[in-house]
Amino acid sequence: MATVLMCRRLPRLSRVTAISTTAKRGSSKSKKEKRDKPGAAKTGTEAGATIQLLKPRDYRVLYNPAAYAKGRAGSQQHGDRDSSQALGDTFTSPGTAQAPQTFPTASSQALSPVRSALPKPKSSTLLRQTVLYKEEAEKERQELHDSKEDPRMFQQGRPEYRALTCDSAEPAEPLPAEEGDWILQSVAGSEGSPGVLRDYFLRLSRLPAERRAALGSDARFSALCHRAVTAIRLFSTPDLIQILKACVPLAVPASHPLLNACEAEFCRRAWDMGLEQLLLVADCWRCLDRSVPSYLGIMFSYANLHWKDLTLPQFVQLLYIVGEGRRSPTDLAQKVESTILKHLDAFTLEELGAICLGLFKSLSGISEHVMRRIADRVSLQMEDMSTYALVNVLKMLRYTRMDHLPLMRELSRVIPARIPATNIQGIMHITLTYSSLHFFDEDVLAAVATSLPSKVSYCRSKDAAKFLWSFGCLDYEPPNEEEFYSSLIKQLHAKLHEFSKFPEHLLTALLGLAFVKRFPEELIDFALREEFVQKTKGSKYELNKDLFTLGKSVEIECPTYQGSHLTPQLCQEFTEMVSSFAEREIYVRPEIVEATSLLESMLGGPEYVKNHMILPHTRSSDLEVRLATDGHPIPFNFKDPVAAKKLRDMGVNLTDDLMSQLIQGRAHSQSPTAVGNEARIPSQKRGDTTGAPCWGGALSTGATSQAEPKPGLWQPGEVRLALQVSNRNHFCYGSRRLLGLHCLKRRQLRLLGYVVVELPFWEWFPLLKRTRSEKLSYLHYKVFCPTLLTRA
């Protein structure tokens, strides 16, 4: 018996299992309705999500794109974001994580009379407070990192990097503050030779940190910089490099006139410098956070000309600079790949991570062969690799869209235990790798879901969006699903102010939620408002399809929703856009053309079959067939017989090579199911994906209402079939587990009264090479299934 739960809910969260604004999930839900989800073995009624609208707090945390927790290698780990992050959406984020407050240590005499009258805490209480403080401080330390220093950890692995990099550590022997004053007084009293000016900068760079910080407002230091600018041509190249290096601990602003003069001078001298000097200067620019595209362009041209002279450390440092500069010199691509293969066994694991990060940040393409060789080595030594370096490899694996079963298998063994000690951005990139490659691994996802609620306050808007998208894409609701989803939805509310700048993140998050039947109404209302829709047009991403999918899904699955909707004009525009794409790319696929032609022959002509998108917002086609309750087909497609004939007469040649690609994909000789079993990715039969048609006109248990078809379109006694000619990209890798978008589509078709009939690729594609009579027999069984007609 279902238990009625009372919970205060703010904001409202629609769950379509009940088609209401509550989050209750009844115990009467069957295993079939759950579709055999891993982690779904829960009984009884689950608690509703309690969600409150939070105001952004006043504290700030420095955003850092790169750094994860400690791995077995013992160094501090870090990370970066996906390819859109490499384009530079870095910002300082308010409302993420507040630094813990220290406890007062003053004596009771120093307290006010009221405070003095309070009972003193017991020593055990103070001890507990101290322990809690230390725990919070350690958690804070794990989550906050230095975006400049974290990607440089590989430089600690070889002494050769010392000559190529600028050491930003505190000086071993700091200069007394009094000597700094003496130097600044000397500037005013003498002209000074280039050597003397160089020494002034070097000595000032050794002052204590607080004294160095005050130099920026000191007129005497400004005079020293002006003197250096005036004498810029008189410095030798080594002396000029020393001055630039001194500017790093002196924290000279990136736009300072001294740096302008230095950049121009180094560009002038670049062709007379050596590779070591060029890389060192480039590293200084990175430490100073100054963008120098002209200098980098010259350096890349020089490296291209002297490529054979590059040592292994110089090559890795060059790729680090390529990544940090977000520039990909196309003329170096082939040389980079050959050099990676040349030194592959000699690279340290951290250097491999740095190489992948450099390629990823610069959006550099890399061949599948080279990426597979890197993955081969990583899969053999993953246990000895830091989490930070490993995540950087995963970024590049994701960017190349390459499957690598040994690496994913080893990752499944190694990474779950590391998740609790990994920072939120690292966990996000791990999770995004699985969803991007369509790999389902319950152990990894469950570990992520368990760790995330306690870390959720550190999520940027993008992090929260990627988590929701990844879990929704893989159609996975974890054992702690209510806590997991409610904590992320709260964080979306806390980050609402960020979505004006990054509208793509809100749509990503809401689509991920829609895939698993969750519709937070306040956020949806915000996303569908005209003001927000206008902001999406200024995004660097194409967001029209996402808006369309969200808007139409809400119309179908949330009949009680009273918020904003997309305008009819906008929906019509999006429909035409999606339909145009489908006509070019989807309707003409050989497996769909063949099924359409055979169905027309079997049923009596093109008027009995329609190849179209019943739900354009789901971006995939359907073969619609209508039957009377006695099983006879009903003609209905009279509008466009020419289009049907055009599809029928296309004459696609089904060669052995094409069939191999359709059935197995580009890189596999095993069957999809066998591959999935080998990779420890469950090959589950997920409800309607087994190939047997099932009746979907009624809602699942616990539903209170459903979206009805438009009046006047549905004939009495009519059964509408939506045949799904699926392909391997509709399913998780190597399994029969439907991805979130396709689960959403089939769910909505049933809500509209359609009977969903699967022509799964593992059945239909092999039949394409068989005789016509065998294909007709298969389609006849699918359309005229006795069980289907009995239920109808």
Side-chain angles (χ1 to χ4, degrees), residues 310-480:
L310 279 172
T311 64
L312 185 151
Q314 288 174 345
F315 171 73
V316 179
Q317 180 67 15
L318 177 65
L319 286 191
Y320 162 75
I321 296 297
V322 165
E324 296 306 301
R326 302 324 199 249
R327 294 199 57 194
S328 176
T330 53
D331 54 339
L332 296 183
Q334 189 172 353
K335 292 180 178 179
V336 166
E337 291 200 1
S338 62
T339 305
I340 291 174
L341 294 176
K342 175 183 176 182
H343 297 296
L344 185 60
D345 295 330
F347 292 128
T348 66
L349 294 171
E350 302 308 303
E351 286 173 333
L352 274 180
I355 289 169
C356 287
L357 182 60
L359 294 172
F360 177 79
K361 282 186 173 182
S362 61
L363 303 180
S364 300
I366 186 173
S367 69
E368 182 176 322
H369 171 67
V370 174
M371 190 65 233
R372 193 167 295 279
R373 290 287 305 278
I374 293 174
D376 286 341
R377 184 174 170 206
V378 169
S379 64
L380 296 175
Q381 297 179 278
M382 189 180 296
E383 198 119 13
D384 300 320
M385 196 172 196
S386 71
T387 307
Y388 173 59
L390 176 57
V391 168
N392 290 337
V393 173
L394 295 182
K395 290 176 185 176
M396 203 58 200
L397 194 74
R398 190 175 83 225
Y399 183 74
T400 55
R401 306 290 298 178
M402 193 194 79
D403 53 342
H404 192 282
L405 291 179
L407 186 145
M408 299 305 291
R409 188 187 306 119
E410 185 68 4
L411 189 66
S412 175
R413 187 182 69 83
V414 169
I415 209 64
R418 295 194 188 185
I419 292 293
T422 303
N423 92 330
I424 201 70
Q425 292 179 39
I427 298 174
M428 181 273 287
H429 281 295
I430 292 167
T431 309
L432 190 57
T433 297
Y434 279 88
S435 64
S436 296
L437 300 179
H438 296 171
F439 270 86
F440 176 80
D441 190 303
E442 186 177 8
D443 291 340
V444 174
L445 295 177
V448 170
T450 300
S451 296
L452 191 135
S454 65
K455 296 171 174 279
V456 76
S457 62
Y458 295 98
C459 281
R460 299 163 297 162
S461 57
K462 186 192 73 171
D463 298 324
K466 298 299 186 183
F467 281 122
L468 291 170
W469 169 265
S470 296
F471 276 66
C473 176
L474 297 173
D475 190 37
Y476 178 62
E477 295 191 75
N480 64 333

Side-chain angles (χ1 to χ4, degrees), residues 59-60 97-102 140 144:
Y59 47 80
R60 297 169 68 83
Q98 185 173 14
Q101 301 296 317
T102 56
E140 190 91 359
L144 305 179

Side-chain angles (χ1 to χ4, degrees), residues 60 83 216 224 232 248 255 287 338 451 488 629 656 669 709 779 790:
R60 297 169 68 83
S83 57
L224 175 62
I232 199 77
V248 175
S255 58
C287 292
S338 62
S451 296
L488 282 170
T629 51
D656 289 343
S669 58
L779 291 174
T790 301

Side-chain angles (χ1 to χ4, degrees), residues 25-54:
R25 310 201 48 194
S27 60
S28 57
K29 191 178 238 184
S30 66
K31 290 184 180 179
K32 179 101 173 173
E33 178 65 17
K34 280 291 230 180
R35 297 180 16 262
D36 301 322
K37 287 182 186 160
K42 296 183 281 292
T43 60
T45 304
E46 300 173 13
T50 301
I51 304 169
Q52 295 181 344
L53 181 60
L54 301 180

Side-chain angles (χ1 to χ4, degrees), residues 699-718:
L699 287 173
S700 60
T701 304
T704 58
S705 63
Q706 81 177 55
E708 296 290 343
K710 292 182 179 180
L713 296 181
W714 212 276
Q715 300 300 322
E718 181 179 273

Side-chain angles (χ1 to χ4, degrees), residues 602 772-782:
M602 182 179 76
R772 178 179 174 85
S773 61
E774 287 176 295
K775 288 181 279 192
L776 287 170
S777 176
Y778 174 81
L779 291 174
H780 188 278
Y781 168 75
K782 287 290 186 178

